Amino acid sequence: SSELTQPPSVSVSPGQTARIICSGDALSKQFAYWYQQRPGQAPSLVIYKDTQRPSGIPERFSGSTSGTTVTLTISGVQPEDEADYYCQSPDNSGPYVLFGGGTKLTVL
Amino acid sequence: QVQLVQSGAEVKTPGASVKVSCRTSGYSFGKYYIHWVRQAPGQGLEWMGGGTASAQKFQGRVTMTSDTSTSTVYMELSSLRSEDTAVYYCARPMFSGNSREAFDIWGQGTLVTVSS
C-alpha cells in the first residue's frame, strides 16, 4: 500500500541539528514536500521539490533525498522550531496525495 | 495577497451532512485546484480530495464543488459519524493546474464536531 513513514518524535537541544526522515516507495519517483505545524495553526510549507525553500523560510531548513527516503534537516535548531513536521508527496498508484504520520520535534 | 478564508465552526449530529466553504482571493481562481485536508484531534493530516480526485476512504461521501462567480470552493461530507470530528482545511498548491504538490496556501481551518 502507498504510505509515508515518519518517526513519531525527535528531540534535540537548542543549537543542535535535527533530522527528520520520511520513507515510502512513492518517493523514488515523486518529489517530497515538508510542512511545519505549530499548535493551533494551519500547516506551513517549509521545503518543496525535495530540497527547495519557499521564500521566507530560514536557511537552517534544508531537505535531501536518497532513493525512497527523504530527510528534513534543521541546523542550529531554535526554540521556535518546536512543532509537528509532516512529509507529503503525490501517490504513484493513483491521483491521490500522501501525508506522513507526522513527527513531533521537541527542543529540549 | 493570496488568501483562503473558511466558514465557521459547525456542530452536527451523526448521519447529517456538513458543507464547508473556502473563499479564495488574490489569484486567478480557475488556474488552481483547491484540496481538502482534515486533522482529527491530536492526529495527523489526512488528505480528503482535490483536483479531480478524492481519497478512496471518502469516495461516495465527499463532494467538492466550486462557484466561479464568488471564487469559492465547497466541501460537503455526508453520513457524518463521530470519527469525522476534525479540523478541515482547504489548501492551494504552489503550482497551477491539476497539481498534488506543495500546498503553500492554507485556510484557517474549520472545526466540525459530530456529536449526538
Side-chain angles (χ1 to χ4, degrees), chain A residues 95, chain B residues 31-33 35 50-53 93 95-101:
Chain B
K31 288 191 174 181
Y32 297 80
Y33 281 101
H35 290 246
T52 57
F95 310 111
S96 60
N98 196 9
S99 172
R100 298 177 284 150
E101 302 174 278

Side-chain angles (χ1 to χ4, degrees), chain A residues 36-100:
Chain A
Q36 176 192 69
Q37 186 181 34
R38 295 190 174 105
Q41 297 185 12
S44 175
L45 183 69
V46 295
I47 293 288
Y48 69 98
K49 288 191 175 180
D50 293 341
T51 62
Q52 305 302 302
R53 269 191 321 275
S55 62
I57 300 302
E59 290 185 7
R60 64 179 182 272
F61 288 86
S62 64
S64 61
T65 180
S66 178
T68 60
T69 298
V70 294
T71 302
L72 173 68
T73 300
I74 309 172
S75 304
V77 167
Q78 303 295 307
E80 61 265 29
D81 298 332
E82 185 164 285
D84 294 326
Y85 291 85
Y86 295 90
C87 59
Q88 179 254 313
S89 80
D91 190 348
N92 274 337
S93 63
Y96 312 119
V97 170
L98 301 174
F99 279 101

Side-chain angles (χ1 to χ4, degrees), chain B residues 76-106:
Chain B
E76 183 170 21
L77 187 64
S78 62
S79 302
L80 290 169
R81 31 206 188 236
S82 59
E83 309 90 87
D84 294 318
T85 294
V87 175
Y88 289 75
Y89 294 102
C90 57
R92 197 206 76 168
M94 176 183 285
F95 310 111
S96 60
N98 196 9
S99 172
R100 298 177 284 150
E101 302 174 278
F103 300 111
D104 65 334
I105 307 294
W106 293 71

